[in-house]
């Protein structure tokens, strides 16, 4: 799954000999080749990445990669997926921190935050979000964060 996920974001980068060799072994027909190279819209990518976060069978490293890539997207689906994972990870795991970093990056880029969830943040996840916002968009931090 990791190779597939990386393939979603490889667009425009030349394939290495290893990637070409691996891809040719995985493709069994011309139709498969066409599908494997088909363009995926940004919306579809976001849905697939959130799906990886929500997939109980996905490996931790796959979820972490998905969380990292999600920073490049925005919208309610993406934000709710990241928030759901942060809560499920009790605000403390490495995955929660990665999701929080991406969420902070999205908020900094879009210029708005979810005030209810920001008030709920705690622990390492809060540190990540506040750290990102402090660097990229300090005007989005609550006044209490600037004083303390």
């Amino acid at each position: 799954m990791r190779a597939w996920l990386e393939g979603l974001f490889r667009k425009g980068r030349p394939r290495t000999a290893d990637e070409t060799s691996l891809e040719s072994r995985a493709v069994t027909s011309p139709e498969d080749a066409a599908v494997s190279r088909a363009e995926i819209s940004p919306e579809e990518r976001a849905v697939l990445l959130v799906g990886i976060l929500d997939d109980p069978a996905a490996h931790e490293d796959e979820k972490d990669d998905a969380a990292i890539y999600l920073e490049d997207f925005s919208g309610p689906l993406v934000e709710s997926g990241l928030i759901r994972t942060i809560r499920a990870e009790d605000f403390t795991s490495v995955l929660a921190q990665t999701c929080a970093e991406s969420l902070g990056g999205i908020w900094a880029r879009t210029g708005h935050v979810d005030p209810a969830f920001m008030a709920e943040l705690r622990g390492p996840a809060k540190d990540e979000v506040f750290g990102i916002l402090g660097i990229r968009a300090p005007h989005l931090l609550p006044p209490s964060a600037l004083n303390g």
Side-chain angles (χ1 to χ4, degrees), residues 37-110:
R37 291 187 181 95
E39 287 296 315
I40 298 174
S41 73
E43 294 80 15
E44 291 171 310
R45 288 181 187 176
V47 168
L48 291 168
L49 292 168
V50 170
I52 292 169
L53 284 182
D54 291 339
D55 184 354
H59 295 187
E60 194 73 18
D61 62 330
E62 294 167 337
K63 289 183 178 201
D64 197 60
D65 287 344
I68 290 167
Y69 287 128
L70 279 169
E71 184 174 347
D72 295 333
F73 301 91
S74 54
L77 174 78
V78 171
E79 289 187 29
S80 67
L82 292 167
I83 289 170
R84 195 170 43 253
T85 302
I86 293 167
R87 284 180 179 138
E89 296 289 315
D90 198 31
F91 301 87
T92 59
S93 73
V94 171
L95 179 57
Q97 291 174 57
T98 303
C99 288
E101 183 179 347
S102 289
L103 185 62
I106 291 167
W107 286 350
R109 182 173 31 81
T110 61

Side-chain angles (χ1 to χ4, degrees), residues 124-143:
K126 179 178 180 178
D127 295 341
E128 289 292 337
V129 170
F130 279 42
I132 295 292
L133 292 178
I135 293 167
R136 298 187 202 169
H139 62 283
L140 295 176
L141 286 170

Side-chain angles (χ1 to χ4, degrees), residues 87 91 107 113-123 126 129-130 142 144:
R87 284 180 179 138
F91 301 87
W107 286 350
V113 300
D114 178 335
F117 185 68
M118 186 177 274
E120 186 182 339
L121 277 168
R122 63 182 189 277
K126 179 178 180 178
V129 170
F130 279 42
S144 60

